[in-house]
Amino acid sequence: MATTISWVPQRQAADQLGISERTLHRWRAAGLLKMGTDYRRKFPAVNSPLLYQLERCEKAMNEAFARDHRTLELAGA
């Protein structure tokens, strides 16, 4: 049986991950979250809302926290 991937709006993703929407933005900008895998646009338009795949975002969070803090600081520079 095929499984479906659940995409949630940015505010709901931030709430469920226990972080701010601004943190999601910073992680996207730093490349910690990948377009198409961790997040995507609801519609194919530049101003379309972002949707997040929670399980992938949690995995990215866990991988980021496992990295050396100096590496994370460089990613945000």
Side-chain angles (χ1 to χ4, degrees):
M1 182 190 304
T3 60
T4 59
I5 296 175
S6 176
W7 297 91
V8 298
Q10 182 166 289
R11 180 171 291 158
Q12 183 180 346
D15 288 344
Q16 289 188 3
L17 294 170
I19 58 175
S20 69
E21 291 181 60
R22 180 75 181 135
T23 297
L24 284 172
H25 171 75
R26 284 194 303 270
W27 288 358
R28 288 193 321 269
L32 296 175
L33 298 177
K34 306 293 182 205
M35 173 65 105
T37 304
D38 304 321
Y39 70 98
R40 67 175 176 87
R41 296 267 175 206
K42 186 172 184 177
F43 302 106
V46 175
N47 62 347
S48 177
L50 291 172
L51 300 173
Y52 292 82
Q53 207 281 315
L54 290 176
E55 290 79 18
R56 290 286 309 147
C57 290
E58 286 177 350
K59 182 179 178 195
M61 276 176 57
N62 291 334
E63 289 171 358
F65 290 140
R67 292 167 46 187
D68 184 356
H69 70 88
R70 292 174 295 232
T71 306
L72 291 175
E73 290 170 0
L74 292 175

